[in-house]
Amino acid sequence: MKTSAKINSCILIIPAIVFVLVLNSGCTKNFESINTDPTTFSTLPAATIPKAFAISEWEGVYADPGNYEVIHSLYIDLWSQYFVDGGGYAGDRYLIDPGLIIFSWNLTYTVNWPSLKLVIDETENTQPAANAIAKIWKVYIFHQESDFYGPIPYSQAGLGLLSIPYDSQESIYDNFFSLLDSATTVLSATDPTERPFGTDDLIYHGDVTKWLKFANSLRLRLAMRISAIDPTLAQQEAEKAVASGVMTTNADNAFCDVGPNSINGLAAEAPWENMRMSASMESYLKGYSDPRMSQYYSPAPDDGQFHGVRNGLPPDQVPLAVSPNGTNLSNINSARWSDTTQAITPLNVMYSAETDFLMAEGALNGWNMGNTASYFYNQGITLSLQQWGITDNTVIQNYLQNTSPPVAPNDYLNSPAVSNVPVKFAPDPATERQQILTQKWLALFPDGIEAWAELRRTGFPILYPLLQSDNPDVAATDIIRRITWVAYEYQTNGAAVQAALTLLGGPDKASTKVWWNTK
């Protein structure tokens, strides 16, 4: 049954007003679905605190279709080259529309953080396990936000200040590790039969053991993120995470539940967009005879085969690459992500396969991960294949031993193969690192946010350069490094933004690297 509208409005009345104003002024897409009440969940009780946490979980994975579109599909999923916008949208050429990219900032500071802060404040002294889980979720949502921009308002956000200072990304990451320390200490001492938030927890339904593994896996992700800028701290945090217990099986995978009134944003908006397979994906998946290809994408209607296209299509080249109705290219898998599955297909949050690739890279760094890089690499691939329904052991073993390289996509540009790295684990560390990051990129699908972060951090996998960049600060041969701060921050919080430029260490441009991005 639906929750009380009165409770919904008490939780989020101010954020809802701000959010509607942004929707009306910022975008020309059909956002009818997000003008429905995003705080209504069909299966949740009316208890305020658990409901507020559910809101934060759902919003924290950009589940709302309009948010998913303007954060994932029009920008970051294109930058990670999981998809190409077949209509030649400018976001695929690194051009950032301030009226759209504002959605990420607005979602965090006017919708998500107010809900989550309420939960943290109200459970601080009364519900230690629930408070610990909420703090873990705070780390999850803010690590993505900080990775988008670099310095952001953090330590004093939500305190009612008229001018909110920005925190350096280094200090934010330090706080992430401190929050995870306190949260995991509490959960380690919690009776595993306790169910904080109960079924209102859309990810693990209050399973303390799984939240503990999630927290440790998130610590491992963050440790690897800072491995170039602070290798000593990175190793310390990574080894702590592994020793404490990370996600190791697909039963540990984190997904966010959906329903009729809390739908899967990717599934809902997939029919709106030209979400075509990228040529980079085509080159890798075809070269490897990767059985996940048919799980990720649908065959092109023209010939029943899989075809991608290069990212950064200039408008005048769209007719050369895309048939008038787009039937010569593969779209996102419509059997899994469509308007008929939007209330069924859960949203991905974090996969266990990722932790194996993180441990593989850690082992390659010489850290104590408990086994070899080769072991974790093969285990990560195996978990990913099994997650997507490929369970035949012969198929899995053949894939692990595959020595075939990526192939040329046979496109109108006569593009060569995107790289020459095979699946079978190589005998030299340099190739092994590239293989780990390539297979990790394939396994993270469709999480373009994490894929883009790792692409910036490592430069892998090797992807095709854009055909054209429309961003004057980022060349077509480079990686877009960050999202620029939103215009209204300059207008309403200008002194803080100017001070944040020092923390950023460069101009507020898409080419300026965030703190951990040393490559």
Side-chain angles (χ1 to χ4, degrees):
M1 58 183 290
K2 292 186 178 181
T3 55
S4 165
K6 182 177 180 180
I7 291 176
N8 293 337
S9 63
C10 287
I11 296 173
L12 291 176
I13 185 168
I14 293 176
I17 292 170
V18 176
F19 202 43
V20 169
L21 289 175
V22 173
L23 291 178
N24 289 339
S25 63
C27 189
T28 58
K29 290 284 182 180
N30 178 5
F31 288 132
E32 292 178 357
S33 60
I34 63 172
N35 286 322
T36 60
D37 183 0
T39 68
T40 300
F41 294 79
S42 62
T43 60
L44 297 180
T48 301
I49 298 306
K51 169 144 181 62
F53 184 64
I55 292 169
S56 184
E57 287 182 301
W58 188 69
E59 295 286 10
V61 292
Y62 307 105
D64 187 288
N67 291 327
Y68 199 100
E69 180 185 35
V70 297
I71 295 166
H72 271 276
S73 303
L74 295 182
Y75 291 103
I76 295 175
D77 290 353
L78 307 179
W79 300 344
S80 66
Q81 294 199 21
Y82 280 159
F83 300 109
V84 173
D85 186 280
Y89 179 68
D92 201 16
R93 299 189 299 278
Y94 291 162
L95 191 64
I96 299 175
D97 182 342
L100 294 182
I101 208 64
I102 194 176
F103 273 58
S104 167
W105 190 275
N106 214 48
L107 178 64
T108 296
Y109 290 108
T110 69
V111 179
N112 202 346
W113 178 228
S115 298
L116 187 58
K117 187 176 186 301
L118 172 67
V119 175
I120 292 173
D121 290 347
E122 293 297 321
T123 59
E124 187 70 49
N125 300 313
T126 57
Q127 301 176 54
N131 185 261
I133 290 171
K135 287 177 178 175
I136 294 166
W137 194 242
K138 177 183 179 181
V139 174
Y140 181 86
I141 64 172
F142 273 107
H143 95 277
Q144 292 189 335
E145 194 75 5
S146 181
D147 289 350
F148 289 168
Y149 299 96
I152 56 172
Y154 178 72
S155 62
Q156 298 187 57
L159 299 182
L161 302 177
L162 294 179
S163 177
I164 306 175
Y166 284 53
D167 296 84
S168 70
Q169 192 171 39
E170 181 178 8
S171 68
I172 293 170
Y173 264 68
D174 285 343
N175 184 255
F176 289 161
F177 291 126
S178 295
L179 284 175
L180 292 175
D181 281 339
S182 63
T184 54
T185 297
V186 170
L187 293 186
S188 295
T190 299
D191 184 340
T193 63
E194 184 177 339
R195 286 291 184 268
F197 304 119
T199 55
D200 291 354
D201 170 10
L202 302 181
I203 297 176
Y204 286 131
H205 307 147
D207 190 318
V208 170
T209 301
K210 289 187 176 181
W211 271 111
L212 189 56
K213 290 181 181 181
F214 178 87
N216 290 325
S217 300
L218 185 56
R219 183 193 299 274
L220 180 58
R221 174 191 281 186
L222 300 179
M224 193 59 70
R225 193 83 93 237
I226 67 169
S227 58
I229 193 69
D230 193 341
T232 300
L233 179 61
Q235 180 176 357
Q236 172 187 320
E237 294 292 339
E239 290 179 348
K240 182 193 298 186
V242 172
S244 299
V246 296
M247 299 159 65
T248 57
T249 72
N250 283 324
D252 297 327
N253 287 347
F255 291 95
C256 183
D257 290 345
V258 297
N261 296 308
S262 52
I263 60 178
N264 182 319
L266 171 58
E269 63 87 18
W272 308 348
E273 297 301 335
N274 295 299
M275 299 177 68
R276 311 301 183 188
M277 174 195 284
S278 72
S280 294
M281 265 289 190
E282 179 185 2
S283 183
Y284 281 113
L285 293 175
K286 282 187 174 178
Y288 297 160
S289 299
D290 197 309
R292 289 170 293 191
M293 181 161 60
S294 60
Q295 301 299 314
Y296 294 174
Y297 305 99
S298 294
D302 279 1
D303 61 6
Q305 303 300 310
F306 292 89
H307 302 291
V309 64
R310 291 277 294 273
N311 286 82
L313 272 174
D316 62 353
Q317 290 191 35
V318 170
L320 299 175
V322 186
S323 65
N325 54 6
T327 56
N328 63 323
L329 297 176
S330 295
N331 207 343
I332 187 172
N333 186 329
S334 58
R336 188 180 302 273
W337 295 286
S338 71
D339 52 4
T340 61
T341 66
Q342 63 185 15
I344 301 170
T345 302
L347 283 138
N348 61 290
V349 180
M350 192 173 186
Y351 302 145
S352 292
E354 179 189 343
T355 64
D356 276 290
F357 292 118
L358 288 166
M359 289 187 287
E361 189 178 356
L364 205 60
N365 291 345
W367 303 348
N368 181 10
M369 298 286 98
N371 215 313
T372 64
S374 175
Y375 170 83
F376 289 122
Y377 173 78
N378 288 333
Q379 182 66 9
I381 293 174
T382 299
L383 280 178
S384 181
L385 293 175
Q386 291 173 343
Q387 173 191 331
W388 292 98
I390 298 98
T391 57
D392 187 310
N393 189 59
T394 300
V395 173
I396 293 172
Q397 293 304 314
N398 287 342
Y399 186 86
L400 294 175
Q401 298 302 314
N402 191 345
T403 58
S404 300
V407 297
N410 194 29
D411 59 13
Y412 77 104
L413 295 164
N414 293 317
S415 300
V418 69
S419 81
N420 61 1
V421 62
V423 176
K424 186 177 181 179
F425 208 49
D428 64 288
T431 304
E432 289 171 351
R433 193 173 298 275
Q434 182 179 349
Q435 289 177 309
I436 290 168
L437 272 302
T438 299
Q439 285 295 328
K440 183 178 180 181
W441 176 73
L442 291 173
L444 284 170
F445 185 91
D447 186 0
I449 291 175
E450 185 60 21
W452 178 46
E454 290 295 83
L455 178 64
R456 289 180 284 160
R457 178 179 72 87
T458 68
F460 293 125
I462 295 173
L463 302 174
Y464 289 114
L466 298 193
L467 295 176
Q468 177 177 308
S469 172
D470 288 350
N471 192 314
D473 300 320
V474 187
T477 54
D478 200 2
I479 301 166
I480 189 167
R481 300 293 174 166
R482 62 183 288 272
I483 300 172
T484 51
W485 290 315
V486 297
Y488 77 63
E489 274 292 286
Y490 282 94
Q491 298 162 5
T492 63
N493 199 24
V497 177
Q498 291 302 320
L501 289 171
T502 301
L503 302 177
L504 180 61
D508 182 18
K509 295 182 176 181
S511 56
T512 300
K513 297 178 181 179
V514 299
W515 166 69
W516 48 255
N517 188 189
T518 63
K519 187 172 179 62

